[in-house]
Amino acid sequence: MVRFEKDKIVVEIPTMFPAADWLEHVRNLTYAVGAIDKDRVDNDHDCIYTLCSLILEMMPEEGDLLEMLRAKGLR
């Protein structure tokens, strides 16, 4: 589901395994951006920049990342 709030777009994806599914979505999106043929995309700079911004926004804050690593016993 997508909803709009003041100054933001909120995307919610229902899932039973949020961390694993999130990682898979980010990985797939990254591979897809890497496979873009700039000669086949109109206005490719804006398209690629927007997709890269989306990927960056999907990454956790440092504190959240450390907590996820602790929960997995990796830190």
Side-chain angles (χ1 to χ4, degrees), residues 2-49:
V2 175
R3 72 176 185 277
F4 303 98
E5 296 181 5
K6 186 178 187 315
D7 300 328
K8 64 177 132 179
I9 300 168
V10 179
V11 178
E12 292 183 22
I13 302 171
T15 177
M16 295 197 53
F17 307 102
D21 288 348
W22 164 80
L23 183 59
E24 181 181 5
H25 291 318
V26 172
R27 186 178 292 130
N28 289 341
L29 185 56
T30 303
Y31 290 151
V33 170
I36 293 175
D37 180 353
K38 69 178 183 174
D39 296 331
R40 297 179 148 242
V41 178
D42 292 333
N43 200 7
D44 62 292
H45 180 267
D46 288 341
C47 174
I48 294 170
Y49 176 80

Side-chain angles (χ1 to χ4, degrees), residues 47-64:
C47 174
I48 294 170
Y49 176 80
T50 302
L51 288 172
C52 290
S53 295
L54 174 61
I55 294 170
L56 287 172
E57 289 300 325
M58 291 175 66
M59 303 308 295
E61 297 291 325
E62 184 177 359
D64 296 331

